[in-house]
Amino acid sequence: MLWPALRVLARGELTADQLQELHSVLDLAPVARTEGPGARASIAHRTRTVAGGRLVTDLARAGDDGWVLALFFDGQAPDADVIAEYRTQWRGLVDQLDLELVEITPAAAADEVLVLPDQVDTDEAVDAWELPYDQLDQMWPHVGLRSDAPREVKKVKLRELMRTPAWRVAPAPLRHQAEEFLADA
């Protein structure tokens, strides 16, 4: 079973030559991946056997102008240094190909977090906090983060949550902790 280790979502047009360059730089076979999450969107991949299992690099389409680079593993998860190397290479390719970075999962920096446009304020009343969290440390998984995510990433996600109508009725201790968290340098 393949498990995701890193995913880069970018947007933009690629010429046939740029796409070929991407295949070449990443040493991808122009054959779709057939297993794991998102396999139907795959257009090219490479499988490497490493100590502890397999690493699969995948290129997939996401809509008309979206591109997904993903690193999957089977067996032992790649360590943080390996993921950092892939992140650095892939961010460089996104820049080199003049693509717009949409998000990287897991995020390691604030610019890798997908931030949705401002939500339209509705007249719909939210009168209860329906989440089981009253402590900031409990809330990180709800916003898609691990507790050890970088602080700047947590700040982006927290600000996004605070823009929602539900935040107005969040427990006072949680709102206070969030304000303190954002105020700390």
Side-chain angles (χ1 to χ4, degrees):
M1 175 76 179
L2 292 180
W3 298 96
L6 181 67
R7 181 175 140 291
V8 173
L9 176 60
R11 182 180 3 214
E13 296 297 325
L14 291 179
T15 66
D17 288 343
Q18 288 174 312
L19 190 54
Q20 182 56 43
E21 176 184 355
L22 192 54
H23 283 206
S24 178
V25 167
L26 297 176
D27 194 25
L28 300 175
V31 177
R33 177 174 49 88
T34 59
E35 65 176 313
R40 279 197 254 168
S42 176
I43 61 172
H45 79 286
R46 174 187 74 193
T47 301
R48 290 185 11 216
T49 303
V50 294
R54 292 184 297 153
L55 285 182
V56 177
T57 303
D58 186 65
L59 174 63
R61 291 300 311 246
D64 292 336
D65 68 345
W67 302 95
V68 180
L69 284 168
L71 178 66
F72 295 94
F73 68 94
D74 181 15
Q76 185 176 343
D79 66 26
D81 291 340
V82 170
I83 292 174
E85 288 175 27
Y86 277 88
R87 178 188 312 276
T88 299
Q89 180 191 33
W90 293 357
R91 282 195 70 138
L93 286 169
V94 166
D95 289 344
Q96 178 183 336
L97 295 169
D98 201 27
L99 297 173
E100 172 192 352
L101 178 64
V102 175
E103 95 177 308
I104 299 179
T105 307
D111 68 336
E112 296 177 354
V113 178
L114 174 63
V115 177
L116 299 174
D118 285 337
Q119 297 188 8
V120 177
D121 206 10
T122 65
D123 291 334
E124 185 177 319
V126 176
D127 58 1
W129 179 254
E130 300 199 11
L131 298 174
Y133 315 114
D134 62 358
Q135 297 292 314
L136 193 56
D137 289 344
Q138 299 169 334
M139 196 182 63
W140 299 126
H142 178 77
V143 296
L145 298 176
R146 293 174 27 154
S147 60
D148 63 351
R151 186 175 190 80
E152 66 182 276
V153 171
K154 287 179 175 179
K155 285 183 173 186
V156 171
K157 285 292 202 177
L158 181 57
R159 284 186 189 104
E160 187 172 29
L161 176 65
M162 292 171 75
R163 291 188 342 229
T164 67
W167 186 253
R168 291 183 219 131
V169 294
L174 180 61
R175 291 194 322 265
H176 180 70
Q177 288 175 17
E179 294 294 336
E180 285 181 346
F181 184 82
L182 292 174
D184 286 346

